[in-house]
Amino acid sequence: AQSVTQLDSQVPVFEEAPVELRCNYSSSVSVYLFWYVQYPNQGLQLLLKYLSGSTLVKGINGFEAEFNKSQTSFHLRKPSVHISDTAEYFCAVSRGGYNKLIFGAGTRLAVHP
Amino acid sequence: NAGVMQNPRHLVRRRGQEARLRCSPMKGHSHVYWYRQLPEEGLKFMVYLQKENIIDESGMPKERFSAEFPKEGPSILRIQQVVRGDSAAYFCASSHLDSPDEAFFGQGTRLTVV
């Protein structure tokens, strides 16, 4: 069975500072990895995904993530955050085949001026 | 191209009533997924459906919950005899036959049981 651990429930950061949101997963099989963002009272929007190929994945809004198979991690990074990045971020995995996602508990990113 | 449409956005039910949540997938999408988000938690998979078929319902509670995706019309998640613990946000996602690993989410239905 797969599981996802988001190591930080909340991450406060000042505007224009860099940020890293951590995600570790466990799985006995190859997985696909995703990061989603959820703004207040909204649905989930896909930020980026890793299916195969290059381990550095670039997504929307200036975010990127690096797949590290040996450390079973898929951390999300942004070099300079904006107030508008304040939201909940979810890491998720699937085994492929169809989109049965296993989500982490989420990390609340709070960007302060 | 409209996204995944869920309605209602907010639903209030008294204990013991039935809740019906609707999801219209994106145009051309034949796969629908339902997820539940309890307060302060991540999303939990409930069920995966294709037209007229339930493919994976491993996340559905054994009682009171059912889902369908008929040949015509939206997918329906039905909760009978709701209890306070059913209060949550219910999200629907859809994907295309050729891209089953990328799902697009609706804005969710927030169910409150009073």
Side-chain angles (χ1 to χ4, degrees):
Chain A
Q2 300 107 45
S3 66
V4 178
T5 303
Q6 291 186 243
L7 296 157
D8 306 294
S9 59
Q10 295 187 59
V11 173
V13 64
F14 287 109
E15 194 174 18
E16 297 184 8
V19 71
E20 177 180 83
L21 306 183
R22 296 180 292 170
C23 173
N24 286 90
Y25 68 93
S26 66
S27 177
S28 57
V29 299
S30 296
V31 294
Y32 297 162
L33 295 152
F34 305 80
W35 274 98
Y36 284 87
V37 60
Q38 184 181 32
Y39 298 103
N41 297 317
Q42 298 292 316
L44 275 72
Q45 181 180 7
L46 180 66
L47 275 178
L48 49 78
K49 60 183 178 181
Y50 172 79
L51 304 182
S52 65
S54 173
T55 57
L56 182 63
V57 181
K58 293 191 183 297
I60 62 170
N61 301 341
F63 284 94
E64 64 180 32
E66 186 158 15
F67 169 57
N68 188 318
K69 188 174 182 180
S70 62
Q71 297 186 2
T72 61
S73 67
F74 191 55
H75 300 333
L76 181 71
R77 301 186 183 100
K78 187 169 182 177
S80 176
V81 294
H82 302 286
I83 296 286
S84 59
D85 292 323
T86 294
E88 187 98 22
Y89 291 80
F90 292 97
C91 181
V93 303
S94 77
R95 284 183 59 180
Y98 60 91
N99 199 272
K100 180 179 180 179
L101 293 166
I102 309 299
F103 283 89
T107 297
R108 190 161 296 173
L109 176 65
V111 182
H112 302 284
Chain B
N1 186 12
V4 178
M5 303 301 292
Q6 289 188 250
N7 67 81
R9 291 289 309 278
H10 301 274
L11 182 61
V12 179
R13 284 287 177 265
R14 296 187 185 279
R15 280 178 294 172
Q17 291 185 318
E18 178 180 286
R20 280 184 179 239
L21 288 62
R22 293 174 183 76
C23 170
S24 295
M26 286 181 69
K27 187 177 180 180
H29 285 192
S30 57
H31 300 206
V32 165
Y33 313 80
W34 285 93
Y35 290 82
R36 177 165 65 174
Q37 184 179 30
L38 293 169
E40 305 300 320
E41 293 187 17
L43 282 75
K44 298 283 193 284
F45 170 82
M46 299 180 76
V47 62
Y48 162 48
L49 310 103
Q50 296 178 15
K51 288 281 188 180
E52 300 184 283
N53 283 304
I54 297 174
I55 308 301
D56 182 344
E57 57 180 347
S58 58
M60 286 280 271
K62 298 299 180 199
E63 297 178 347
R64 302 187 296 108
F65 284 71
S66 62
E68 63 177 10
F69 188 19
K71 187 176 181 181
E72 301 290 338
S75 175
I76 306 288
L77 179 68
R78 183 182 177 206
I79 312 172
Q80 295 178 288
Q81 300 175 341
V82 296
V83 300
R84 288 242 171 93
D86 296 333
S87 295
Y90 292 83
F91 289 95
C92 170
S94 72
S95 65
H96 191 274
L97 176 67
D98 294 334
S99 303
D101 291 305
E102 181 166 0
F104 295 84
F105 281 79
Q107 292 190 305
T109 293
R110 278 155 183 82
L111 172 65
T112 302
V113 179
V114 297

